[in-house]
Amino acid sequence: MKTSKKEIQDIIKAWIAISIAFAIVLRGSFSNLLAGFILAAITVGVGFLLHELAHKVLAQRYGYMAEFRSFDPMLVLAIIFSFFGFVFAAPGAVMIPGNLSKKKNGIVSLAGPLTNLILALVFLGISFIFTEGFVNLIGSYGFRINTWLAVFNMIPFWNLDGKKVFDWNKVIYFIFVFVCILLLFV
C-alpha cells in the first residue's frame, strides 16, 4: 500500500475531528467528554478509517494511484453541527485520478460500505461476548454506527458510494442495501 505524509496527516485530522464531533453529541450519555471521545474514536473513527482504506487498497490493487484527502471545511462543520445535537460528516474521500471502468468504480465504491457492514458484525459479536460495561457499549454502539454508515453511504446520490454501485450493478446494489437495512433493525 502506497501512502504519503499528507495522506497520513489528513486521515489523522479527519479521525480526530469526527471523533470530537461524535463525542460532543454523546456528551449527554457520559459525564466525561473523554469517554465519549474514546467511544467515538473506536467505533466511528475505526469505521471511517477502514472504510476509506478499503477504497484505497482496492483501487491500488487495480493499479490506480489512490490517496485520502480530508475536506477541512466539512470537518469544521461536523464539529459545529455536533453542538446542535447531530453530526453530518463528510470527512473526506479517497481520490483516484484516472478513469475507472463503471465496474471497477462500482466495486471500489462497494468496498467501503462492505467494510462497515463487516465491522458492524464484529462489533455485534463484541456486544454478545461482553454483556456489561464500556466494552459492551463499544460493541453495541459500534454495531449501530457502522450499520448506519453502510446504509448512509449507499444512498444513490451525488458522489456517495451508492450512486457508483447503483450505476454499475442494480442487483448487487439492492441486495446489499436490503442486508444493511435488515441489520439496522436487529
Side-chain angles (χ1 to χ4, degrees), residues 127-161:
S127 72
F128 284 138
I129 294 168
F130 298 92
T131 57
E132 297 179 15
F134 193 67
V135 178
N136 174 265
L137 186 60
I138 288 170
S140 61
Y141 189 71
F143 169 73
R144 282 181 285 152
I145 198 68
N146 277 281
T147 304
W148 173 246
L149 287 171
V151 169
F152 177 80
N153 277 281
M154 289 305 290
I155 296 171
F157 177 72
W158 188 53
N159 251 354
L160 293 176
D161 297 326

PDB file of all heavy atoms in Angstrom, residues 127-161:
ATOM      1  N   SER A 127     -20.453  -7.164  21.461  1.00  0.00           N
ATOM      2  CA  SER A 127     -21.549  -6.849  22.402  1.00  0.00           C
ATOM      3  C   SER A 127     -22.175  -8.111  22.985  1.00  0.00           C
ATOM      4  O   SER A 127     -22.725  -8.079  24.083  1.00  0.00           O
ATOM      5  CB  SER A 127     -22.608  -5.968  21.730  1.00  0.00           C
ATOM      6  OG  SER A 127     -23.363  -6.708  20.799  1.00  0.00           O
ATOM      7  N   PHE A 128     -22.112  -9.235  22.258  1.00  0.00           N
ATOM      8  CA  PHE A 128     -22.626 -10.501  22.799  1.00  0.00           C
ATOM      9  C   PHE A 128     -21.642 -11.132  23.774  1.00  0.00           C
ATOM     10  O   PHE A 128     -22.039 -11.764  24.749  1.00  0.00           O
ATOM     11  CB  PHE A 128     -22.927 -11.498  21.669  1.00  0.00           C
ATOM     12  CG  PHE A 128     -24.186 -11.186  20.915  1.00  0.00           C
ATOM     13  CD1 PHE A 128     -24.212 -11.294  19.538  1.00  0.00           C
ATOM     14  CD2 PHE A 128     -25.343 -10.794  21.564  1.00  0.00           C
ATOM     15  CE1 PHE A 128     -25.364 -11.014  18.830  1.00  0.00           C
ATOM     16  CE2 PHE A 128     -26.501 -10.503  20.873  1.00  0.00           C
ATOM     17  CZ  PHE A 128     -26.516 -10.623  19.497  1.00  0.00           C
ATOM     18  N   ILE A 129     -20.350 -10.969  23.499  1.00  0.00           N
ATOM     19  CA  ILE A 129     -19.321 -11.548  24.375  1.00  0.00           C
ATOM     20  C   ILE A 129     -19.228 -10.777  25.687  1.00  0.00           C
ATOM     21  O   ILE A 129     -19.154 -11.362  26.761  1.00  0.00           O
ATOM     22  CB  ILE A 129     -17.952 -11.578  23.660  1.00  0.00           C
ATOM     23  CG1 ILE A 129     -18.009 -12.549  22.474  1.00  0.00           C
ATOM     24  CG2 ILE A 129     -16.835 -11.964  24.627  1.00  0.00           C
ATOM     25  CD1 ILE A 129     -16.821 -12.458  21.533  1.00  0.00           C
ATOM     26  N   PHE A 130     -19.234  -9.448  25.584  1.00  0.00           N
ATOM     27  CA  PHE A 130     -19.153  -8.585  26.775  1.00  0.00           C
ATOM     28  C   PHE A 130     -20.532  -7.993  27.012  1.00  0.00           C
ATOM     29  O   PHE A 130     -20.936  -7.058  26.324  1.00  0.00           O
ATOM     30  CB  PHE A 130     -18.108  -7.486  26.573  1.00  0.00           C
ATOM     31  CG  PHE A 130     -16.724  -8.011  26.365  1.00  0.00           C
ATOM     32  CD1 PHE A 130     -16.231  -8.256  25.089  1.00  0.00           C
ATOM     33  CD2 PHE A 130     -15.904  -8.291  27.454  1.00  0.00           C
ATOM     34  CE1 PHE A 130     -14.962  -8.754  24.890  1.00  0.00           C
ATOM     35  CE2 PHE A 130     -14.628  -8.795  27.266  1.00  0.00           C
ATOM     36  CZ  PHE A 130     -14.157  -9.031  25.983  1.00  0.00           C
ATOM     37  N   THR A 131     -21.256  -8.530  27.955  1.00  0.00           N
ATOM     38  CA  THR A 131     -22.656  -8.156  28.142  1.00  0.00           C
ATOM     39  C   THR A 131     -22.856  -6.954  29.059  1.00  0.00           C
ATOM     40  O   THR A 131     -23.983  -6.493  29.228  1.00  0.00           O
ATOM     41  CB  THR A 131     -23.465  -9.352  28.682  1.00  0.00           C
ATOM     42  OG1 THR A 131     -22.867  -9.796  29.913  1.00  0.00           O
ATOM     43  CG2 THR A 131     -23.483 -10.481  27.671  1.00  0.00           C
ATOM     44  N   GLU A 132     -21.778  -6.450  29.635  1.00  0.00           N
ATOM     45  CA  GLU A 132     -21.885  -5.296  30.528  1.00  0.00           C
ATOM     46  C   GLU A 132     -20.700  -4.362  30.327  1.00  0.00           C
ATOM     47  O   GLU A 132     -19.671  -4.741  29.790  1.00  0.00           O
ATOM     48  CB  GLU A 132     -21.895  -5.740  31.992  1.00  0.00           C
ATOM     49  CG  GLU A 132     -23.051  -6.603  32.395  1.00  0.00           C
ATOM     50  CD  GLU A 132     -22.955  -7.018  33.850  1.00  0.00           C
ATOM     51  OE1 GLU A 132     -22.171  -6.416  34.610  1.00  0.00           O
ATOM     52  OE2 GLU A 132     -23.657  -7.959  34.229  1.00  0.00           O
ATOM     53  N   GLY A 133     -20.849  -3.146  30.809  1.00  0.00           N
ATOM     54  CA  GLY A 133     -19.744  -2.208  30.883  1.00  0.00           C
ATOM     55  C   GLY A 133     -19.410  -1.498  29.585  1.00  0.00           C
ATOM     56  O   GLY A 133     -20.155  -1.547  28.607  1.00  0.00           O
ATOM     57  N   PHE A 134     -18.258  -0.843  29.605  1.00  0.00           N
ATOM     58  CA  PHE A 134     -17.832   0.014  28.497  1.00  0.00           C
ATOM     59  C   PHE A 134     -17.559  -0.778  27.220  1.00  0.00           C
ATOM     60  O   PHE A 134     -17.857  -0.317  26.116  1.00  0.00           O
ATOM     61  CB  PHE A 134     -16.600   0.832  28.908  1.00  0.00           C
ATOM     62  CG  PHE A 134     -16.271   1.951  27.957  1.00  0.00           C
ATOM     63  CD1 PHE A 134     -17.124   3.037  27.825  1.00  0.00           C
ATOM     64  CD2 PHE A 134     -15.117   1.910  27.189  1.00  0.00           C
ATOM     65  CE1 PHE A 134     -16.835   4.079  26.951  1.00  0.00           C
ATOM     66  CE2 PHE A 134     -14.811   2.946  26.314  1.00  0.00           C
ATOM     67  CZ  PHE A 134     -15.674   4.034  26.192  1.00  0.00           C
ATOM     68  N   VAL A 135     -17.028  -1.991  27.373  1.00  0.00           N
ATOM     69  CA  VAL A 135     -16.750  -2.807  26.179  1.00  0.00           C
ATOM     70  C   VAL A 135     -18.057  -3.202  25.499  1.00  0.00           C
ATOM     71  O   VAL A 135     -18.152  -3.208  24.265  1.00  0.00           O
ATOM     72  CB  VAL A 135     -15.886  -4.040  26.523  1.00  0.00           C
ATOM     73  CG1 VAL A 135     -15.651  -4.902  25.290  1.00  0.00           C
ATOM     74  CG2 VAL A 135     -14.552  -3.610  27.113  1.00  0.00           C
ATOM     75  N   ASN A 136     -19.095  -3.513  26.282  1.00  0.00           N
ATOM     76  CA  ASN A 136     -20.407  -3.786  25.696  1.00  0.00           C
ATOM     77  C   ASN A 136     -20.938  -2.566  24.962  1.00  0.00           C
ATOM     78  O   ASN A 136     -21.514  -2.681  23.873  1.00  0.00           O
ATOM     79  CB  ASN A 136     -21.408  -4.224  26.769  1.00  0.00           C
ATOM     80  CG  ASN A 136     -22.806  -4.376  26.199  1.00  0.00           C
ATOM     81  OD1 ASN A 136     -23.617  -3.452  26.281  1.00  0.00           O
ATOM     82  ND2 ASN A 136     -23.069  -5.526  25.604  1.00  0.00           N
ATOM     83  N   LEU A 137     -20.735  -1.392  25.554  1.00  0.00           N
ATOM     84  CA  LEU A 137     -21.160  -0.151  24.910  1.00  0.00           C
ATOM     85  C   LEU A 137     -20.412   0.053  23.588  1.00  0.00           C
ATOM     86  O   LEU A 137     -21.017   0.441  22.580  1.00  0.00           O
ATOM     87  CB  LEU A 137     -20.916   1.035  25.845  1.00  0.00           C
ATOM     88  CG  LEU A 137     -21.422   2.388  25.380  1.00  0.00           C
ATOM     89  CD1 LEU A 137     -22.927   2.365  25.157  1.00  0.00           C
ATOM     90  CD2 LEU A 137     -21.055   3.450  26.401  1.00  0.00           C
ATOM     91  N   ILE A 138     -19.125  -0.224  23.578  1.00  0.00           N
ATOM     92  CA  ILE A 138     -18.349  -0.143  22.335  1.00  0.00           C
ATOM     93  C   ILE A 138     -18.946  -1.089  21.295  1.00  0.00           C
ATOM     94  O   ILE A 138     -19.156  -0.712  20.140  1.00  0.00           O
ATOM     95  CB  ILE A 138     -16.856  -0.476  22.588  1.00  0.00           C
ATOM     96  CG1 ILE A 138     -16.184   0.657  23.351  1.00  0.00           C
ATOM     97  CG2 ILE A 138     -16.121  -0.754  21.274  1.00  0.00           C
ATOM     98  CD1 ILE A 138     -14.783   0.332  23.851  1.00  0.00           C
ATOM     99  N   GLY A 139     -19.251  -2.302  21.695  1.00  0.00           N
ATOM    100  CA  GLY A 139     -19.825  -3.279  20.774  1.00  0.00           C
ATOM    101  C   GLY A 139     -21.171  -2.857  20.226  1.00  0.00           C
ATOM    102  O   GLY A 139     -21.394  -2.883  19.010  1.00  0.00           O
ATOM    103  N   SER A 140     -22.076  -2.440  21.106  1.00  0.00           N
ATOM    104  CA  SER A 140     -23.424  -2.086  20.638  1.00  0.00           C
ATOM    105  C   SER A 140     -23.419  -0.794  19.830  1.00  0.00           C
ATOM    106  O   SER A 140     -24.085  -0.703  18.791  1.00  0.00           O
ATOM    107  CB  SER A 140     -24.408  -2.018  21.806  1.00  0.00           C
ATOM    108  OG  SER A 140     -24.019  -1.044  22.744  1.00  0.00           O
ATOM    109  N   TYR A 141     -22.658   0.196  20.268  1.00  0.00           N
ATOM    110  CA  TYR A 141     -22.596   1.463  19.514  1.00  0.00           C
ATOM    111  C   TYR A 141     -21.854   1.257  18.195  1.00  0.00           C
ATOM    112  O   TYR A 141     -22.262   1.775  17.158  1.00  0.00           O
ATOM    113  CB  TYR A 141     -21.926   2.553  20.353  1.00  0.00           C
ATOM    114  CG  TYR A 141     -22.030   3.932  19.724  1.00  0.00           C
ATOM    115  CD1 TYR A 141     -23.253   4.591  19.675  1.00  0.00           C
ATOM    116  CD2 TYR A 141     -20.921   4.550  19.176  1.00  0.00           C
ATOM    117  CE1 TYR A 141     -23.364   5.841  19.083  1.00  0.00           C
ATOM    118  CE2 TYR A 141     -21.015   5.800  18.590  1.00  0.00           C
ATOM    119  CZ  TYR A 141     -22.244   6.442  18.544  1.00  0.00           C
ATOM    120  OH  TYR A 141     -22.346   7.676  17.959  1.00  0.00           O
ATOM    121  N   GLY A 142     -20.776   0.475  18.233  1.00  0.00           N
ATOM    122  CA  GLY A 142     -20.032   0.183  17.014  1.00  0.00           C
ATOM    123  C   GLY A 142     -20.892  -0.530  15.988  1.00  0.00           C
ATOM    124  O   GLY A 142     -20.810  -0.262  14.783  1.00  0.00           O
ATOM    125  N   PHE A 143     -21.742  -1.453  16.466  1.00  0.00           N
ATOM    126  CA  PHE A 143     -22.663  -2.142  15.558  1.00  0.00           C
ATOM    127  C   PHE A 143     -23.623  -1.150  14.913  1.00  0.00           C
ATOM    128  O   PHE A 143     -23.767  -1.113  13.688  1.00  0.00           O
ATOM    129  CB  PHE A 143     -23.446  -3.232  16.304  1.00  0.00           C
ATOM    130  CG  PHE A 143     -24.582  -3.791  15.496  1.00  0.00           C
ATOM    131  CD1 PHE A 143     -24.331  -4.640  14.429  1.00  0.00           C
ATOM    132  CD2 PHE A 143     -25.891  -3.450  15.783  1.00  0.00           C
ATOM    133  CE1 PHE A 143     -25.375  -5.139  13.660  1.00  0.00           C
ATOM    134  CE2 PHE A 143     -26.942  -3.947  15.030  1.00  0.00           C
ATOM    135  CZ  PHE A 143     -26.688  -4.798  13.963  1.00  0.00           C
ATOM    136  N   ARG A 144     -24.263  -0.332  15.731  1.00  0.00           N
ATOM    137  CA  ARG A 144     -25.258   0.609  15.196  1.00  0.00           C
ATOM    138  C   ARG A 144     -24.635   1.638  14.261  1.00  0.00           C
ATOM    139  O   ARG A 144     -25.167   1.901  13.182  1.00  0.00           O
ATOM    140  CB  ARG A 144     -25.994   1.322  16.339  1.00  0.00           C
ATOM    141  CG  ARG A 144     -27.052   0.435  16.978  1.00  0.00           C
ATOM    142  CD  ARG A 144     -27.784   1.148  18.073  1.00  0.00           C
ATOM    143  NE  ARG A 144     -26.852   1.198  19.223  1.00  0.00           N
ATOM    144  CZ  ARG A 144     -26.845   2.121  20.147  1.00  0.00           C
ATOM    145  NH1 ARG A 144     -27.698   3.090  20.126  1.00  0.00           N
ATOM    146  NH2 ARG A 144     -25.975   2.074  21.130  1.00  0.00           N
ATOM    147  N   ILE A 145     -23.524   2.234  14.648  1.00  0.00           N
ATOM    148  CA  ILE A 145     -22.949   3.307  13.848  1.00  0.00           C
ATOM    149  C   ILE A 145     -22.377   2.775  12.535  1.00  0.00           C
ATOM    150  O   ILE A 145     -22.516   3.415  11.488  1.00  0.00           O
ATOM    151  CB  ILE A 145     -21.915   4.141  14.644  1.00  0.00           C
ATOM    152  CG1 ILE A 145     -21.655   5.483  13.962  1.00  0.00           C
ATOM    153  CG2 ILE A 145     -20.614   3.398  14.830  1.00  0.00           C
ATOM    154  CD1 ILE A 145     -22.803   6.441  13.973  1.00  0.00           C
ATOM    155  N   ASN A 146     -21.769   1.597  12.552  1.00  0.00           N
ATOM    156  CA  ASN A 146     -21.214   1.064  11.308  1.00  0.00           C
ATOM    157  C   ASN A 146     -22.299   0.552  10.364  1.00  0.00           C
ATOM    158  O   ASN A 146     -22.157   0.662   9.147  1.00  0.00           O
ATOM    159  CB  ASN A 146     -20.157  -0.011  11.599  1.00  0.00           C
ATOM    160  CG  ASN A 146     -18.824   0.627  11.887  1.00  0.00           C
ATOM    161  OD1 ASN A 146     -18.116   1.041  10.978  1.00  0.00           O
ATOM    162  ND2 ASN A 146     -18.488   0.744  13.168  1.00  0.00           N
ATOM    163  N   THR A 147     -23.390   0.040  10.915  1.00  0.00           N
ATOM    164  CA  THR A 147     -24.535  -0.317  10.061  1.00  0.00           C
ATOM    165  C   THR A 147     -25.098   0.951   9.427  1.00  0.00           C
ATOM    166  O   THR A 147     -25.383   0.989   8.224  1.00  0.00           O
ATOM    167  CB  THR A 147     -25.617  -1.051  10.877  1.00  0.00           C
ATOM    168  OG1 THR A 147     -25.030  -2.193  11.498  1.00  0.00           O
ATOM    169  CG2 THR A 147     -26.763  -1.491   9.980  1.00  0.00           C
ATOM    170  N   TRP A 148     -25.239   2.002  10.228  1.00  0.00           N
ATOM    171  CA  TRP A 148     -25.735   3.274   9.705  1.00  0.00           C
ATOM    172  C   TRP A 148     -24.796   3.856   8.651  1.00  0.00           C
ATOM    173  O   TRP A 148     -25.238   4.365   7.621  1.00  0.00           O
ATOM    174  CB  TRP A 148     -25.963   4.263  10.844  1.00  0.00           C
ATOM    175  CG  TRP A 148     -26.309   5.622  10.356  1.00  0.00           C
ATOM    176  CD1 TRP A 148     -25.567   6.749  10.491  1.00  0.00           C
ATOM    177  CD2 TRP A 148     -27.466   6.018   9.612  1.00  0.00           C
ATOM    178  NE1 TRP A 148     -26.190   7.811   9.878  1.00  0.00           N
ATOM    179  CE2 TRP A 148     -27.357   7.393   9.332  1.00  0.00           C
ATOM    180  CE3 TRP A 148     -28.593   5.338   9.146  1.00  0.00           C
ATOM    181  CZ2 TRP A 148     -28.314   8.092   8.612  1.00  0.00           C
ATOM    182  CZ3 TRP A 148     -29.550   6.043   8.426  1.00  0.00           C
ATOM    183  CH2 TRP A 148     -29.403   7.389   8.178  1.00  0.00           C
ATOM    184  N   LEU A 149     -23.490   3.775   8.881  1.00  0.00           N
ATOM    185  CA  LEU A 149     -22.522   4.272   7.893  1.00  0.00           C
ATOM    186  C   LEU A 149     -22.659   3.517   6.568  1.00  0.00           C
ATOM    187  O   LEU A 149     -22.580   4.121   5.492  1.00  0.00           O
ATOM    188  CB  LEU A 149     -21.090   4.149   8.425  1.00  0.00           C
ATOM    189  CG  LEU A 149     -20.675   5.134   9.509  1.00  0.00           C
ATOM    190  CD1 LEU A 149     -19.311   4.750  10.087  1.00  0.00           C
ATOM    191  CD2 LEU A 149     -20.652   6.560   8.988  1.00  0.00           C
ATOM    192  N   ALA A 150     -22.858   2.211   6.641  1.00  0.00           N
ATOM    193  CA  ALA A 150     -23.042   1.417   5.419  1.00  0.00           C
ATOM    194  C   ALA A 150     -24.302   1.858   4.682  1.00  0.00           C
ATOM    195  O   ALA A 150     -24.270   2.085   3.462  1.00  0.00           O
ATOM    196  CB  ALA A 150     -23.106  -0.074   5.753  1.00  0.00           C
ATOM    197  N   VAL A 151     -25.416   2.019   5.412  1.00  0.00           N
ATOM    198  CA  VAL A 151     -26.681   2.441   4.791  1.00  0.00           C
ATOM    199  C   VAL A 151     -26.546   3.838   4.206  1.00  0.00           C
ATOM    200  O   VAL A 151     -26.914   4.082   3.052  1.00  0.00           O
ATOM    201  CB  VAL A 151     -27.846   2.391   5.808  1.00  0.00           C
ATOM    202  CG1 VAL A 151     -29.091   3.071   5.255  1.00  0.00           C
ATOM    203  CG2 VAL A 151     -28.153   0.956   6.199  1.00  0.00           C
ATOM    204  N   PHE A 152     -26.012   4.771   4.983  1.00  0.00           N
ATOM    205  CA  PHE A 152     -25.890   6.155   4.520  1.00  0.00           C
ATOM    206  C   PHE A 152     -25.051   6.243   3.252  1.00  0.00           C
ATOM    207  O   PHE A 152     -25.414   6.932   2.303  1.00  0.00           O
ATOM    208  CB  PHE A 152     -25.280   7.039   5.618  1.00  0.00           C
ATOM    209  CG  PHE A 152     -25.054   8.450   5.171  1.00  0.00           C
ATOM    210  CD1 PHE A 152     -26.100   9.350   5.141  1.00  0.00           C
ATOM    211  CD2 PHE A 152     -23.800   8.874   4.742  1.00  0.00           C
ATOM    212  CE1 PHE A 152     -25.917  10.660   4.700  1.00  0.00           C
ATOM    213  CE2 PHE A 152     -23.590  10.182   4.306  1.00  0.00           C
ATOM    214  CZ  PHE A 152     -24.657  11.071   4.286  1.00  0.00           C
ATOM    215  N   ASN A 153     -23.928   5.544   3.234  1.00  0.00           N
ATOM    216  CA  ASN A 153     -23.045   5.606   2.072  1.00  0.00           C
ATOM    217  C   ASN A 153     -23.647   4.948   0.839  1.00  0.00           C
ATOM    218  O   ASN A 153     -23.156   5.148  -0.273  1.00  0.00           O
ATOM    219  CB  ASN A 153     -21.682   4.990   2.397  1.00  0.00           C
ATOM    220  CG  ASN A 153     -20.782   5.991   3.081  1.00  0.00           C
ATOM    221  OD1 ASN A 153     -20.201   6.849   2.432  1.00  0.00           O
ATOM    222  ND2 ASN A 153     -20.688   5.896   4.396  1.00  0.00           N
ATOM    223  N   MET A 154     -24.694   4.166   1.005  1.00  0.00           N
ATOM    224  CA  MET A 154     -25.332   3.516  -0.140  1.00  0.00           C
ATOM    225  C   MET A 154     -26.478   4.336  -0.723  1.00  0.00           C
ATOM    226  O   MET A 154     -27.151   3.886  -1.652  1.00  0.00           O
ATOM    227  CB  MET A 154     -25.816   2.118   0.252  1.00  0.00           C
ATOM    228  CG  MET A 154     -24.680   1.136   0.471  1.00  0.00           C
ATOM    229  SD  MET A 154     -23.544   0.975  -0.934  1.00  0.00           S
ATOM    230  CE  MET A 154     -24.598   0.145  -2.104  1.00  0.00           C
ATOM    231  N   ILE A 155     -26.705   5.534  -0.226  1.00  0.00           N
ATOM    232  CA  ILE A 155     -27.703   6.402  -0.848  1.00  0.00           C
ATOM    233  C   ILE A 155     -27.230   6.675  -2.277  1.00  0.00           C
ATOM    234  O   ILE A 155     -26.099   7.111  -2.482  1.00  0.00           O
ATOM    235  CB  ILE A 155     -27.866   7.719  -0.058  1.00  0.00           C
ATOM    236  CG1 ILE A 155     -28.402   7.433   1.350  1.00  0.00           C
ATOM    237  CG2 ILE A 155     -28.791   8.683  -0.805  1.00  0.00           C
ATOM    238  CD1 ILE A 155     -28.391   8.643   2.272  1.00  0.00           C
ATOM    239  N   PRO A 156     -28.074   6.399  -3.270  1.00  0.00           N
ATOM    240  CA  PRO A 156     -27.639   6.536  -4.672  1.00  0.00           C
ATOM    241  C   PRO A 156     -27.739   7.980  -5.172  1.00  0.00           C
ATOM    242  O   PRO A 156     -28.527   8.308  -6.063  1.00  0.00           O
ATOM    243  CB  PRO A 156     -28.596   5.614  -5.434  1.00  0.00           C
ATOM    244  CG  PRO A 156     -29.848   5.657  -4.631  1.00  0.00           C
ATOM    245  CD  PRO A 156     -29.411   5.811  -3.186  1.00  0.00           C
ATOM    246  N   PHE A 157     -26.913   8.820  -4.599  1.00  0.00           N
ATOM    247  CA  PHE A 157     -26.999  10.256  -4.872  1.00  0.00           C
ATOM    248  C   PHE A 157     -25.602  10.849  -4.921  1.00  0.00           C
ATOM    249  O   PHE A 157     -24.704  10.412  -4.199  1.00  0.00           O
ATOM    250  CB  PHE A 157     -27.836  10.916  -3.766  1.00  0.00           C
ATOM    251  CG  PHE A 157     -27.963  12.402  -3.868  1.00  0.00           C
ATOM    252  CD1 PHE A 157     -28.743  12.983  -4.859  1.00  0.00           C
ATOM    253  CD2 PHE A 157     -27.303  13.221  -2.979  1.00  0.00           C
ATOM    254  CE1 PHE A 157     -28.850  14.355  -4.952  1.00  0.00           C
ATOM    255  CE2 PHE A 157     -27.407  14.598  -3.069  1.00  0.00           C
ATOM    256  CZ  PHE A 157     -28.194  15.159  -4.056  1.00  0.00           C
ATOM    257  N   TRP A 158     -25.406  11.840  -5.742  1.00  0.00           N
ATOM    258  CA  TRP A 158     -24.219  12.686  -5.830  1.00  0.00           C
ATOM    259  C   TRP A 158     -22.960  11.846  -5.921  1.00  0.00           C
ATOM    260  O   TRP A 158     -22.828  11.013  -6.804  1.00  0.00           O
ATOM    261  CB  TRP A 158     -24.214  13.667  -4.659  1.00  0.00           C
ATOM    262  CG  TRP A 158     -23.161  14.728  -4.711  1.00  0.00           C
ATOM    263  CD1 TRP A 158     -22.897  15.586  -5.740  1.00  0.00           C
ATOM    264  CD2 TRP A 158     -22.231  15.040  -3.683  1.00  0.00           C
ATOM    265  NE1 TRP A 158     -21.862  16.420  -5.408  1.00  0.00           N
ATOM    266  CE2 TRP A 158     -21.430  16.106  -4.150  1.00  0.00           C
ATOM    267  CE3 TRP A 158     -21.989  14.540  -2.421  1.00  0.00           C
ATOM    268  CZ2 TRP A 158     -20.419  16.672  -3.398  1.00  0.00           C
ATOM    269  CZ3 TRP A 158     -20.992  15.096  -1.673  1.00  0.00           C
ATOM    270  CH2 TRP A 158     -20.213  16.160  -2.156  1.00  0.00           C
ATOM    271  N   ASN A 159     -21.991  12.049  -5.027  1.00  0.00           N
ATOM    272  CA  ASN A 159     -20.723  11.330  -5.053  1.00  0.00           C
ATOM    273  C   ASN A 159     -20.662  10.192  -4.045  1.00  0.00           C
ATOM    274  O   ASN A 159     -19.595   9.650  -3.803  1.00  0.00           O
ATOM    275  CB  ASN A 159     -19.574  12.309  -4.774  1.00  0.00           C
ATOM    276  CG  ASN A 159     -18.754  12.570  -6.008  1.00  0.00           C
ATOM    277  OD1 ASN A 159     -18.961  11.952  -7.038  1.00  0.00           O
ATOM    278  ND2 ASN A 159     -17.820  13.481  -5.913  1.00  0.00           N
ATOM    279  N   LEU A 160     -21.785   9.864  -3.435  1.00  0.00           N
ATOM    280  CA  LEU A 160     -21.785   8.780  -2.449  1.00  0.00           C
ATOM    281  C   LEU A 160     -21.520   7.440  -3.132  1.00  0.00           C
ATOM    282  O   LEU A 160     -21.777   7.269  -4.328  1.00  0.00           O
ATOM    283  CB  LEU A 160     -23.111   8.739  -1.689  1.00  0.00           C
ATOM    284  CG  LEU A 160     -23.395   9.937  -0.783  1.00  0.00           C
ATOM    285  CD1 LEU A 160     -24.780   9.826  -0.176  1.00  0.00           C
ATOM    286  CD2 LEU A 160     -22.348  10.055   0.315  1.00  0.00           C
ATOM    287  N   ASP A 161     -21.028   6.490  -2.352  1.00  0.00           N
ATOM    288  CA  ASP A 161     -20.702   5.178  -2.885  1.00  0.00           C
ATOM    289  C   ASP A 161     -21.905   4.518  -3.553  1.00  0.00           C
ATOM    290  O   ASP A 161     -21.767   3.841  -4.574  1.00  0.00           O
ATOM    291  CB  ASP A 161     -20.177   4.267  -1.769  1.00  0.00           C
ATOM    292  CG  ASP A 161     -18.888   4.787  -1.156  1.00  0.00           C
ATOM    293  OD1 ASP A 161     -18.080   5.390  -1.887  1.00  0.00           O
ATOM    294  OD2 ASP A 161     -18.681   4.584   0.062  1.00  0.00           O
TER     295      ASP A 161
END
